[in-house]
Amino acid sequence: MTELVLSRQFSAPRTAVWAAFVEPEIICQWWGPHGWSIEDDSIIFEPMVGGRHELTMVQVDNPEARVPLKAVITAFDEYTCLVSDDGPHEMTLDLVISTRVDFREFAGKTSITLTQGPLPYEVIESSTKAWNSAFSKLENLLSEFF
């Protein structure tokens, strides 16, 4: 088992990047890798410790392929840190997988660091590709405004 750690910088203020992670109407525009979308009515985000963070990703070319996120928020420090735990269930390999996103702003740009785990070594490559793809979608979305 290991952890996935990714960092990405966006040319947008921290408040905008934070909103992309917590506002359902923005989440549905970028979450998930290319070729996947979010069912609009599946997003539940309760911005507090103990709140739900839920959504369903659907593969665009195969709507039968669905990946649920059914997480509970375990840390919520507005504009700074968001942590949620998903599982255990079939899609998390019966593990409880924690996802932490830290937000830092400098000179009008925002850096995030995503830490996710525990994950089996064999899923690190595909998970890294999926998150990088999703972050590219977020970068394109933010570039429309900043």
Side-chain angles (χ1 to χ4, degrees), residues 55-57 66-70 86 89 91-92:
L55 55 80
T56 301
M57 292 190 303
R66 307 164 75 75
V67 177
L69 171 70
K70 296 204 175 286
D86 187 17
H89 55 77
M91 293 306 297
T92 65

Side-chain angles (χ1 to χ4, degrees), residues 122-136:
E122 57 268 16
V123 304
I124 291 296
E125 184 178 346
S126 62
S127 295
T128 299
K129 287 180 182 177
W131 276 113
N132 279 327
S133 179
F135 290 158
S136 292

Side-chain angles (χ1 to χ4, degrees), residues 39-86:
E39 283 186 345
D40 291 339
D41 62 348
S42 73
I43 299 173
I44 300 171
F45 190 87
E46 299 170 339
M48 64 187 147
V49 172
R52 294 182 298 165
H53 184 196
E54 299 179 4
L55 55 80
T56 301
M57 292 190 303
V58 179
Q59 193 173 38
V60 174
D61 293 338
N62 178 14
E64 298 300 312
R66 307 164 75 75
V67 177
L69 171 70
K70 296 204 175 286
V72 174
I73 297 169
T74 58
F76 188 87
D77 187 1
E78 194 168 29
Y79 305 116
T80 304
C81 179
L82 175 63
V83 184
S84 63
D85 288 350
D86 187 17

Side-chain angles (χ1 to χ4, degrees), residues 3 13 29 47 60 73 77 86-87 98 104 106 129 137 142:
E3 267 186 345
Q29 295 179 59
V60 174
I73 297 169
D77 187 1
D86 187 17
S98 181
R104 290 180 184 81
F106 181 75
K129 287 180 182 177
K137 288 168 58 177
L142 290 168

Side-chain angles (χ1 to χ4, degrees), residues 134-146:
F135 290 158
S136 292
K137 288 168 58 177
L138 176 55
E139 188 171 24
N140 289 337
L141 176 64
L142 290 168
S143 73
E144 295 177 24
F145 304 99
F146 302 98

